[in-house]
Structure formats: structure tokens, C-alpha cells
Amino acid sequence: MASDIVLDLRADKVIEAIKLGKRLDNRKFDEYRKLKITKNISENANGSARVLLGETDVIAGIKMVPGDPFPDTPKEGSISVGVEFLPLASPLFEPGPPRENETELARVVDRGIRESKCLDFEKLCIKEGEKVWVVFIDMYTMNDDGNLFDACSIAALSALLETKIPKLGDEYKIVKGEYSGKLHLARKPLLCTTTKIAGHLVNDACFAEEKAMEARFSVATTEDGYMAAYQKGGSGSFSPKEIDECIDLSFAKAKEIRKQL
Amino acid sequence: MASDIVLDLRADKVIEAIKLGKRLDNRKFDEYRKLKITKNISENANGSARVLLGETDVIAGIKMVPGDPFPDTPKEGSISVGVEFLPLASPLFEPGPPRENETELARVVDRGIRESKCLDFEKLCIKEGEKVWVVFIDMYTMNDDGNLFDACSIAALSALLETKIPKLGDEYKIVKGEYSGKLHLARKPLLCTTTKIAGHLVNDACFAEEKAMEARFSVATTEDGYMAAYQKGGSGSFSPKEIDECIDLSFAKAKEIRKQL
Amino acid sequence: MASDIVLDLRADKVIEAIKLGKRLDNRKFDEYRKLKITKNISENANGSARVLLGETDVIAGIKMVPGDPFPDTPKEGSISVGVEFLPLASPLFEPGPPRENETELARVVDRGIRESKCLDFEKLCIKEGEKVWVVFIDMYTMNDDGNLFDACSIAALSALLETKIPKLGDEYKIVKGEYSGKLHLARKPLLCTTTKIAGHLVNDACFAEEKAMEARFSVATTEDGYMAAYQKGGSGSFSPKEIDECIDLSFAKAKEIRKQL
Amino acid sequence: MSKKEEKTEYVKNGKRLDGRGTEELRPLKIEVGVLSRADGSCALEWGQNKVVAAVYGPREALPKHIQNPYKALVDYQYRMATFSVPDRKNPKPGRREMEISKVSGEALEKAIFLERFPNTTIDIFVEILDSNAGTRVAALVAASAALADAGIPMRDMVSAVGVGKAGGEIILDLNKDEEDAPDAVDIPMAILPRTEEIVLLQMDGLLTPEEWKKALKLGLKGCKQVYEVQKEALRKKYLEAEKEESEPNTETATQEEGE
Amino acid sequence: MSKKEEKTEYVKNGKRLDGRGTEELRPLKIEVGVLSRADGSCALEWGQNKVVAAVYGPREALPKHIQNPYKALVDYQYRMATFSVPDRKNPKPGRREMEISKVSGEALEKAIFLERFPNTTIDIFVEILDSNAGTRVAALVAASAALADAGIPMRDMVSAVGVGKAGGEIILDLNKDEEDAPDAVDIPMAILPRTEEIVLLQMDGLLTPEEWKKALKLGLKGCKQVYEVQKEALRKKYLEAEKEESEPNTETATQEEGE
Amino acid sequence: MSKKEEKTEYVKNGKRLDGRGTEELRPLKIEVGVLSRADGSCALEWGQNKVVAAVYGPREALPKHIQNPYKALVDYQYRMATFSVPDRKNPKPGRREMEISKVSGEALEKAIFLERFPNTTIDIFVEILDSNAGTRVAALVAASAALADAGIPMRDMVSAVGVGKAGGEIILDLNKDEEDAPDAVDIPMAILPRTEEIVLLQMDGLLTPEEWKKALKLGLKGCKQVYEVQKEALRKKYLEAEKEESEPNTETATQEEGE
């Protein structure tokens, strides 16, 4: 199809430029696009945020819902992370059940939040063995110009940081429009992705760059020097040395982004 | 495909006739086909009816099942309306999950019944906050010669009017074959559809006429002068004046049909 | 497709041989292939077995799970039998939701076990009306060289015969790695299938023979002279006399196989 | 599912609980040509069982890759209405409906001259509107008549009946009470009546080979009774067609009790 | 779902509970061209409702067998984000979303010159991010503007509004509190404003023909107010395009309260 | 999911709770060519983990529109049997299985000369029959051997191992008890052993860059041990093939403890 050919041609140009040490939009290899975070974009959500990373546009919304605890963790609440690649966002996205790209993104964002222990699951207990909070973190893509992983991670964290805990009435029913406080986050885990193109490492790849990519490596880091999750994707490979560079880049970039939350 | 061509030719003939003030089967524009209602066609149902409207053939069956109340209406029972366009009924129906035509029909019939308040949901309460009756109204198409909306609405109402309430034993279990009375209906809401073909309004369109239709307008009316629901369908439009005519026709036709229940 | 042609050619050869009183692998008409049963192939299962019947390779595993009794049988446990035709087993199997061949196999194996009353469902009651054992019998195909029915039946029975009952702690929770005894089987029902090819009856058809088959007849027999289930499959037919022969063969073959359990 | 515990006598002085003899069918009524859109159709009542069947085809099999260049495909769909059983049935087709559809379609394949219609599919849809044991054989009998009504060339009709055991007795055409007997055995069977070729045969329950021999005999006899009702229903329609009557057919072929 | 029991006055001294007059819209803001990947797009805020719409097409309809050689297909998908409603919505699209998608797509078909694009599909996706009654008309208004933004030739825009009854009063653009009135009637409607052709019309609640006449009048008036905001949003974009500004468009067309 | 609360020492005097050293693999056995219908296959036991892998292809990719004219597609399906885990697994594949399938398929793409087989698909199916931590790397090791067994041309085998942290110690090839440690970190990794190119790398848990450096070293070493067992399994089969033995292969390549 014609559109595929156009994409291939753009990918060729990306590679040409990268080999000359350049990116098509003149960014430095490790430079993120302009980030704009808009908070509380939905009153019905307990917390929400819209993230623009260049023209990449994603939304995250939080709903806290009283639910049954897992049998083996009777005093712990839980999180549930989902993403939908809305067909609004790209001519390549089709409506339908979740596919592997969505599943991977949701699970990597999930692990960054879960493993960083930024949420104390025991504090999400309402009554031991009976009722706990389930924190639903749902993300939607509005416009895909690349790097959905990082954009979604920023949106999810931004939305969590704004989240108000609903007030509960009798029989664990939510009292609409009333809140009992804010959700406490002990850490601010952020996922930063490094993309390998023509043997070079770049950050915050745009859509055209992703078409030219060999592989990507995403690391969720915390402000106190930990990694909470990482994930290699794509059909290419990384040398051990490249992985170390990716890790360094992720720490550095997350630090910059964290200032803008 | 050949069959499509045949359908197009028939639609042309319908339009030709309508323009001359005629219908292919010589009915008047506002005339319904012969209606035959057979009640209690299934002993296992709590109420049931088969409706023949000309050659259009549909069946409705009722099952009353003890269920959990919705959290926000602890003293109210509820209804659940479904329709399956059985592949028996038409070479164009395929088996599979519900499609938008089925969903629309079920929801419009649902609204006519629900909003007319013909069923007192509070009387469907078994024990407040614990158990209520769910009235399942399931409709099936046997032969589609057009106007499934009205045929299904007549079948659903006929079946409801015959419905016996199951007797309950211990722990809200139904005692098979025993009943505690009949379901009470305060009103008799009926859906009547007017179809616009070549700029003219006709009632009870047969299948060939539906192929030639621009748009349809269905109104659920009650015997005491209310409308409980309406719905415009099809890719054409109605003028405000035409809508008024449709409403008048729906009241008049429902009155006629109500006599035959 | 080429592969279809190859299969057709093999089927022709099978028929040619059968007409001469022979089978391609020189077995007698009523002769089973070499049977190898390996028990306890999965520590996480409560019972498990792998069955090789010639090159046909299937696995069955048992999980006993505390569940809610059916409302009409409050003192009875139950069984749930499933099979997945893994795409490992054949170029013709595709991953996806269960299809009619899988459903038929699972249900026939289910009936053989259930109707033989080899399991006393009342002994599977944990607390009347509250908690009962559900015995999940899940079968997987590894390599399909024909006669999956018999292979799966042998695997299911072998796995059941090894099944240990999990120990229960508070609130009917399973204590991991501890057991309260072995599952008792009162009978050993086995399914044996006879296949009709070119008007002749053969047992344990391999894959090529199944391609040439007219019809098959499977009988689940017990060691005390009962049939617990049978099922005719395929688009051909059997005469009443042939059915009698099939039944005799099934009793005789099950007796042989039972010795190898 | 739940079988009665107390000892019941299912046959007493040669009569069953519903008054039938051991070899007696429930009343059976068949009418063909009842649906105008279908190529062939049939409405059937058999005791409390109520069934409608429709046939479409032979028509092009789609998507193309499922076509068989040597013969027609048969797609048989047995479904139960939600209200056709004592407890409301989930509207989604279950495993039981899937299995019945498979073996019933296979039973019809033997009867139809499939090789005359390569690359096509013959679609058979059966809906159960009310039920009281024996719906799969009722569905098959209706489907077979609908195929004939559609003018699809067949070797013979498929006739079917349930036979089985309750309270130790081998009986024909079990009803639900009998199927719930503690020792119940249910044997749905279908044959091509002229040749007695068995095209559908299933069983569940504990049965000895001797009991089976008795059941088989009874089943063959029952199938042939059903066959007569099927033929009569078709004859009635064709006679009327010949007379070129334009009125809708309201008479139905009837198998009275105790024939 | 749960309607208030106590008697509330929904209009007092000509003012509604949120301060609006009976014929007054909630504040409405529309901006087009907000998404770079889509062929046309629109962001809309209408009171608390927040909607984003995107249009792709006309593009080849696939699989091929769904193509219509005489005209373009319209595929309209209305969806709600899980967090856009008081209780978390199941992420799977429900029957309500399916029905709204169907009637909304039909409403747009009348507006678009579909016959110019045979064998293609025009895909319209609308996502509700926040809601407070009236999302289906908000979605349709946004979709219509997105179609225009995509340059798809249309007879006219589709303009839409909700009208209805609460506490016995016929009022424009009901909010959620009003929709929850015990006697609430909700009438979503959409028209082609230049000709007043009605392309979407639904109702539920108990309404008399007289009340409907009053509601219709109000609805037509409301649609025309919405029409002006739609046109203004498009005008703004095209003016900017003419000036060949390269900056992103941050201004938005606004319908202020009480216009 | 539930991590132990009490303080456990996971390594004591250089020995782990199951007796292994910190850099020691669990016993690993690999056998190829175990399934007759598949183009390539492998049975693998790794501690308690039990895995079977099958390869079909390169075969025509269908439906046609998914074909890539430049290279073969890789379809990798990792699945767990219902009984392979402590609690019965839902038979429907879950999100975990979907993610593992994706990253494992990508890991193999680098190894295979995909460009030699345009328009085809290489299907790799792996079933987990028993599990005790590390099944995704076990599956990948088996899949890689099955690909070689199928004769599919590869740059190198993919070798894989789990590495991670428990009780503060960086250890190789964690078992389930270790993975349930309160501070557990799990790092599945896969490489092309000859070039040390990393083709799969995931992690979850709290880890510092310094710990990672140590873990990486250990992982690379572990992968190479695994590589030797893979090669030995293939060698065994090919030697036997050369000898033209007609008996089935019953010997298996074994990686003994503490090699």
C-alpha cells in the first residue's frame, strides 16, 4: 500500500539523518520533545491528566473502586492498569479487543508503579479480608506521534499524584462527589525509553523514528536511585554496554521530567 | 450478487407504486397487514406469544428470575430485554454475537416498556436490598418480512400480559410448575413505526418496502395518551411536520392493535 | 493446497490396503498401537499422565478446586472436562476458542466418566450446600497421529487414578503441597473407538486412516460389563450389526488396555 | 442433572406415568413450508417439544477458503430459546448445543447428495421453543423434513427417536420425568429408514449389551413411525401445491397416540 | 438510573438549579484540527462534557466484501472512557454505546455526499472523556465539525442538542440532575440547520404530543445556536490557515452562557 | 503475588535453600525431535519446569494481507496448561502469556534469517506443563532448539536464563521460593551467545545499577552454560541421524548440577 511506502521512505530519511548525527526535527539524540501536562481533565475521574509530548497525546484517568481482596493478600489493595490504543490516534489502530502492543505497554507501566512500591498496598485496605481499594489506572491514546510508553507513564503518574480517595458510606458504597483525602505516593516512578536506530541511541523517538528503530529499552526509575522495571522491545538487540548507556539515560531523563510534574 | 440486484429491482417497483399512491400488496398507506397473535406457545416460559404480521413471524418469551437488586435501587426489580435475529428468518441474518440492528430493536422495545411505567418495579421487589425479580423478555425472529420492530413490540407486550409469577420456596428458589399470581401491567405500551418511502409515509412496511425506505420513525404510545419512547432510524430525514404525522399515526395504529391483544 | 493432495493420496492408499485386509503399518484390524503411559508428569497437578499411543501424544492433568455446589445438588461435587487441541500437535490445529471437535471429545470423555459413576459425587461434598470439590480434568494434545478420543480417555483415567486430594485449611483454602488422601475410583471406564474404512472395522486408527474413514463409533465400557456412553461420529453410517461388532470390540480392547494402567 | 432419589415405578401394568405404553410415541405433528423467506422449513410439535427448522441453500460457501470443490458443506445449528427450558438458558450457545449441532449435521450428510453441489453450503437452523426431553431428535426430524421441503435431493429422509431406560424398563421416546430416573439411560438415534443405516447414535447412562439389543429394536420401530408422519406432512404440502391452492396451509400431519 | 424521590422544583423564577434560563445552553467550546494523525478532528467542551472526535477517510473499505460500489460507508464509533462517568465504566463497549453509534452514524449519512466516494469508508471515532448528560449530541456536534475539518463535502453541518422535561418544565440542554428528575424526559435531536431536516431523534420518558411540540421548537432553536459555534470554530481555523500561521491554534470558539 | 513477610536467609555459607550455589543452574535436560507432526520440536526439563515446543514453517502466511514481502513473520505462542501452576489457571490465555509471547518472538527474530522466507510465517508454540519460576526463559530455550531442529537457518541459537536477587544476594536461575522473597528481583534475559547480543531483557523489583552490573555478568555466564546443553542436544540428534538409526531417540542431553 502507498502509505506503507511513504512510511518506508520516511524511515530511510530518519536513518540517513541519524548516521549524520542528526534528527529530522533537529533535536539532540537525548532530547525530549516539549512536554505539556494538563491535570484534572475529567471531573468524574478521581484523578486524571492529559500529556502532550510533542504531538503525541495521551490521557490517563483513575477510578478507585472498593473490591474484594485477593485470597492470599487479605489486607492489601491492588492496582489494575489498562491502555486502549484508540483508533482516533492513528490510521493504523483498529477498534477491538486488546492486542499485544497494548498489553505490553499496560504491563510495563503497571510494573513500574507496582514494583517501585510508590503505593502502599496495605494502606489501600478498607477492611481486612473483606474490602480493599482497587486503583484502576486507565490510559487512552489520542494521537500517536511516537513514544507512547513514556507519554503513558507520565500521564499515569500525573493522574495518580492528583487522585482523591472517594468517601465511603454504608456497605462500602461510594458517596458521590465527596472525598476522604488524597492518595499518597511514596515515590515517583517514571519510564524513560531509549531507542536504537542505525546503531545509535536516541530518546523520545517520534513515530517516524519508531518505524526506523531496531530495538528499544525502557527503564522505570525512581528519584532515589532505583530501577523498578525494565523491558527490551523490538526485533533488534543491545550490547551489554548499550544497556548500561540506556539505564544512565533513563535516570537522567526521568530526573528532568520529574521537575515538570 | 444476484440477490442484491433482485432486491434493488423490487425496491424500484415499490417506489414506483408509492409515487402512484399505491403499495405492491394493495394496502392503504396506513394499513397494517393481518395480525395473528398466539399466546402461551411455550410451557417452560412464564409467558410467551407468537406474532404473525403478514408473513413476519416473531416470538417473545418471558422468564422471571430472582436476582440481586442494583445497589442504587435496593427495592426495585428490573427488566432485561433481548432480541436475536435468528438466521432462520432471513438469508441475510448470520449467526453470531448481537449486532447493532438487534441492539437498537431491543433497546427501543425496552424503553417503551420501561418508560411507560407499565411495570411497577417496586412490586418486583422480593426482599429489599436482597432479592428482586428480574423480568427477562427475550424475542426471536422466525421470518423477516419487514417491520420487526412493531411485531416484536406486540409479541413482548402479549407475552407480558400472560406472564405468571413463579412461586418461591426456601432461599428464593423457584418451585417448578407453581405460580403465585399474574404479572400486573398498568399500561399497554405499543410501538408503531412509520416508514418514509419516496417522500411518503407508510405503516407496517414489508421487507421489500424497507429496502426502499429513506427513514423510519417508531413511537411507543400508551392508551392514556402518552408517548413513552421514540426513535428515528435510517439514513434519511424527517421534517418537523412529518414527525407530527408519524406521531398521530402511531397513536391511531396502536389503538387498533390494542383491541386485538 | 499441496498438503491436501498428499493427504488424499495417503487416504487412497489406506483404502487400497484395507480392501486387501491390510493396514499400512501391518497391524491387525483390531490391533492397537504401542501404548506408553507416564504418570505424574506435573507436580503442580493433583494427578497427571502422558499417553503415547504410537506417535499420538496427549496429556491430562487434574486440579481439585473447592467450589459452590449446583443449587439442585447441594451435597454433590462435580467434574469439569476440557480438552485443547494444541497447535503443537498438528499443522491443521489453530489456536483459538474451542471448536466442535474439541467440544465433542471433551463431552464424550466427560460422559464416560460421569455416567460410569466411577466417582461418587456425594463423597466430593465438603460441606453440604456450601462447598464441594470440582474435579477439573484438562487434556492437551501434543502430537496428533490419530485416535485422540481413546488416547485422551486413557490419559484422563490414568491421571484420575493418581489424583491426590488437596488438604483444606481455613475457609476452604487449599494448603499448598499437602494432601488428605487419594481420590477413589469405583470403576475404570475406558473409551474405545472403532473406525469404519471402506466398509471394514478397524481399531485405533492413525491419522492417515482417519482421513479415509467413513464413520467412527466410540464406546465407554467398564470392567463389570456396562457401557457408560457411546457416540457415533463422521458422515457415514453403521448397520445395526456393525454397531454390535463395535461394542464387542470396545469391551475387548478396554480389557487389554486396563491391564496397562 | 438432579435425579430423583425415591424409588419410582416408571411402568405399571404396561402403562407409563403419562399413560403411554412402553412402545408408544408422544403425539407428533409436522408441518412443512411454514416460513416464507427460507428455502425450506418445518414446524414440529412432539409432546411438549416445539421446534422450528429452516433450510437455506445450497448457496455459495463463504469465505471462499472453506469451499469444498467436491461436495456441499452442511452447517447445522441447533439452538434453544432462553425460555424453552425450566431455568432460563444463557442466550450464548453452550457446549451441549455445539455437540448436538455437530453430530446432527453429520447424520444428515449421509442422506443428502452433497456431491451434486460443490463449493456450496447447505445451512440448517433449528430453534427449540419449548422442551421436554428428546429435543435433539425432534430437531433432526424437523430439519430432515425442511430439507425435503427445500427440494434438496436426498437418498432418504432421516428419521429419529429417543429410546432408553427408566426404572429398569426399556421404553420408547422418554419424557423429562423418565430421563430424570435414577437409572435413566438416554439413547438418541437416527436412521435412514429404508436401509436401517444408523446415522446418529449416542448414549449415556449405564447399559448392558443385552439391554441395548432390546433398545435398538424399539428404536428402529419408533424411527419408522416417525418416518410415516414426515412423509405424510410432505405429501400434504405437495398435494396442495398440485391443486394450486393459494390459501395458507393450516392442516398438519398428525401422529396420534397409540397408533 | 435512580431517580430522586423528593419533590424538587427544577425551574424557579425562570431560573434552573444551575442558574440557567429554560432556553439556555451550557457553555460550549469547539476547536478543530487538534490531532495531527487524523484527517480531521475536534475537541469539544459542553458544560462538564468533554469530547474528542477524529475522522479518517474516505479510505478503502476493507474487507472488500463490505464495499458499496455506489457510495461511501460511514462507521461511527461512540465510546466512553472508563473514568468519564460516576461509576467506573466497563472498558468493553456496551449496548448503549452500540445503539448511539448506529443512530449517530445514520444522522451524518444524510449530511455527507457519500455517492462521491464509492467503495470507501469514512471512519468517525468519538471518545467521551468526561460526562454530565447530553454526551451523544455533544459527540455528534464534534464529529460533524471534524468531518468538515477533514474537508469531506457535506450538504450542511449536523447540529444537535438535547431537549426535554424536568419538574414539569420543558427545558433546553438538560444536565444530569435534570435528567434524574422523577418525571424526566430526554430528547436528543439533530438537524441539518439550513433545512430543519431532522436526522436524529430519540426520546424516553412520558411525554404528551403537546409537550413535544414545545420541545421541538426549543430544540430547533438550540440546534441553531450550536450551529453558530460550529461554524465559528471552522472559520477560525481557515482564517488562520489563510494567514499561513505556523503556530499551533490555541484560541477556541466559545458559546458564552446566556447568548 | 504474596511475598513472605518473615526475614529469610536465602544464601547461607554460599549455599541456597535448595542446596545450589549462587551461580548454579537447576538441572537442565533438552531433547529435540520429540513430536512427529511438527517440523521441529523440543522437550525440556529445567528443575521442576517442564516445557514442550513445536515449530511449524516457514509456511504461507494467511490471511494474505498479513504477509510481508521482505521477510518471514514470527508467531510465538507461550501458553500454560491449567494444571501447571499451584492454583488452577484459567484456560483462556491471559495478559501475562500475551506479553511473554510478544517479547519472546522478538527475541527470536534477531536470530533467524527471516529475509530468506518472504511471505511466510514461522509458528512457534510452547506449552508449559509444570512450572517453578523461570518458565519464559525455559520456553525460549526450548523454542530455539526446536527451530534448529526444524532446520531453520539461524545466526546463532538464542540462549536464556533468569537471574535476580533474593535476600540481598544476586543469584542465578531463581526458583519459586526465591522469586517470592520480599526483596525479590527477577530478570529474564536472552542472548545470542557468540556475540553476547541481548535479545530479551525484562526486570521487575527494586534494583540498583550496581546490582544490575553484577546480575548481567552472572546472566551472561548462565546463558552460555545453557547454550552448551542446547548444542549437545542437537549434536546428539544429528549424530544419530548420521548413523541412520531407525530407533526412536531416547537419550537426552543433560546439564548436571554444579557443572
Side-chain angles (χ1 to χ4, degrees), chain D residues 102-120:
Chain D
K102 179 182 189 290
V103 296
S104 302
E106 289 173 342
L108 290 172
E109 284 185 32
K110 179 77 186 187
I112 306 170
F113 289 104
L114 297 174
E115 56 287 0
R116 296 196 192 161
F117 308 101
N119 299 320
T120 69

Side-chain angles (χ1 to χ4, degrees), chain C residues 196-259:
Chain C
K196 185 171 167 182
I197 304 172
H200 294 264
L201 301 180
V202 306
N203 287 105
D204 187 28
C206 69
F207 181 75
E209 289 173 334
E210 285 183 347
K211 284 280 130 190
M213 101 179 172
E214 298 169 35
R216 61 172 152 68
F217 192 64
S218 305
V219 186
T221 59
T222 67
E223 61 268 52
D224 51 351
Y226 286 102
M227 301 181 284
Y230 46 63
Q231 178 97 339
K232 178 252 165 187
S235 59
S237 64
F238 288 98
S239 70
K241 196 173 148 290
E242 285 168 339
I243 292 289
D244 284 340
E245 288 177 53
C246 292
I247 289 173
D248 290 345
L249 283 165
S250 290
F251 271 106
K253 293 298 139 184
K255 205 172 162 182
E256 290 175 16
I257 293 166
R258 219 169 269 119
K259 287 177 198 154

